[in-house]
């Protein structure tokens, strides 16, 4: 048996070395994690050590055939000197009866007892299954990985339940494998803390609205139909005018839905904010000029289908006239991941910030993480209900992380 030590930065990397050099039949004898470098045990780099072994090829008990010295005679001996054969031995004297044949002494071979043999076979089978499991993980590093070490499998299932895609699940759990010692994978608080930190980094880009100083800050909300743009703009206007005591104006270009216009007018009357209704891009520009004394101007646009080119062109024409400093794409967290990605792709050229709504209507907050992993746009706000102005929050990395993992009361 040949035993060799392998060292790498991660379990997957080290096992890859084992498989490459010793093959799929190698047996893992021992694994451990240690720190290399650093000063006085600090700032060292985590390393993974694997001791592996492979059974050497057994030496054949059959001797190689002897080359014949006599062509045509495979036995390699003279024909007049036949091979010695086992002969009967005779007692002295004429006509004596033959005695028993001379026999070669029997060689006794010692074999393991039944119980010992069964235990050995069971141990080898267990090692083989463990190695096959590790090989499956290594082979799945470039694709979807569905099998994880037992202590981490429940976390993989949780992340999948939250709607996080397999590629991102693998990234998050690889972080756990690299930053949490293997013997601590069973400690839920350690693993959860690592999960949260990894997710928090993905959600780190956030930015809320700041009112204008010398001129109004123009903020336009865009997005598909049914995501709650009008309710969200009412929440924002109420928060800034009532709570922050800012001078706010509302403009709606959503004349496709009478209900949207009436809803925004009602909001305006309740909170004491003027509401203008515009029909054309030029009318939008004129309405903005009428409110140059305000600190914030919110523009509610009509919901547009990302699949309808004409609707997208109309929206672009309104935005070119308004020239907003901030254009916020409003998306529902309850939207399926594929549809959410499509919406983002179509609206992204017009967008500066993101708003996620309806977090109270889904348990799959991971769809947000799937999108944030692929965008550089900051998240400004998240909403979790219909109450104005209460059910809206400034987005922070910590708050987004809690929603994605489903932690705590969403209304706290």
């Amino acid at each position: 048996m040949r035993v060799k030590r392998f060292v790498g930065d991660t379990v997957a990397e080290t096992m890859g070395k084992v498989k490459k050099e010793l093959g799929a039949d190698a047996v893992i004898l021992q694994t451990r994690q240690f720190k290399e470098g650093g000063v006085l045990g600090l700032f060292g780099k985590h390393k993974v050590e694997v001791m592996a072994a492979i059974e050497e090829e057994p030496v054949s008990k059959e001797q190689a055939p002897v080359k014949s010295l006599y062509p045509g005679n495979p036995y390699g001996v003279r024909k007049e000197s036949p091979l010695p054969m086992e002969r009967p031995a005779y007692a002295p004297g004429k006509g004596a009866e033959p005695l028993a044949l001379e026999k070669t002494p029997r060689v006794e071979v010692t074999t393991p007892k039944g119980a010992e043999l069964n235990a050995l076979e069971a141990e080898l089978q267990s090692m083989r299954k463990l190695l096959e499991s590790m090989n499956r993980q290594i082979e799945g590093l470039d694709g979807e990985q569905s099998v994880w070490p037992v202590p981490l499998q429940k976390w993989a299932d949780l992340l999948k339940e939250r709607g996080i895609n397999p590629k991102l699940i693998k990234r998050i759990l690889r972080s756990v494998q690299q930053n949490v010692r293997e013997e601590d994978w069973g400690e839920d608080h350690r693993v959860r803390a690592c999960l949260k930190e990894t997710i928090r980094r993905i959600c780190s880009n956030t930015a809320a609205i700041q009112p204008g100083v010398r001129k109004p800050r123009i903020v336009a909300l865009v997005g598909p139909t049914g995501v709650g743009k009008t309710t969200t703009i009412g929440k924002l206007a109420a928060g800034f005018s009532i709570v922050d005591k800012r001078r706010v104006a509302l403009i709606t270009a959503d004349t496709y839905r009478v209900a949207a216009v009436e809803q925004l007018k009602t909001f305006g009357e309740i909170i004491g904010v003027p509401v203008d209704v515009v029909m054309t891009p030029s009318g939008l520009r004129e309405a903005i000029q009428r409110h140059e004394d305000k600190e914030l101007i919110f523009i509610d646009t009509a919901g547009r289908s990302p699949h309808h080119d004409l609707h997208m062109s109309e929206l672009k024409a309104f935005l070119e006239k308004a020239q907003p400093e901030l254009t916020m794409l409003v998306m529902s967290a309850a939207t399926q991941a594929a549809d959410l990605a499509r919406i983002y792709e179509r609206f992204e050229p017009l967008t500066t910030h993101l708003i996620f709504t309806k977090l109270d209507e889904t348990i799959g907050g991971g769809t947000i993480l799937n999108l944030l992993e692929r965008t550089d746009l900051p998240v400004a706000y998240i909403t979790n209900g219909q109450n104005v102005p209460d059910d809206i929050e400034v987005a922070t990395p910590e708050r987004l992380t809690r929603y994605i993992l489903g932690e705590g009361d969403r209304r706290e």
Side-chain angles (χ1 to χ4, degrees), residues 345-408:
E345 288 174 1
R346 289 305 304 271
F347 283 92
E348 188 269 338
L350 308 174
T351 304
T352 64
H353 292 68
L354 304 175
I355 295 177
F356 291 103
T357 62
K358 303 187 179 183
L359 272 78
D360 57 314
E361 297 182 13
T362 178
I363 62 169
T367 54
I368 294 177
L369 190 68
N370 298 337
L371 186 59
L372 296 185
E373 194 266 341
R374 57 179 290 188
T375 180
D376 295 327
L377 296 180
V379 183
Y381 297 93
I382 51 180
T383 75
N384 58 351
Q386 297 296 317
N387 296 326
V388 178
D390 297 329
D391 295 335
I392 188 168
E393 302 177 52
V394 174
T396 65
E398 292 73 22
R399 202 62 179 132
L400 285 168
T401 299
R402 287 175 60 82
Y403 273 108
I404 289 166
L405 290 176
E407 292 185 350

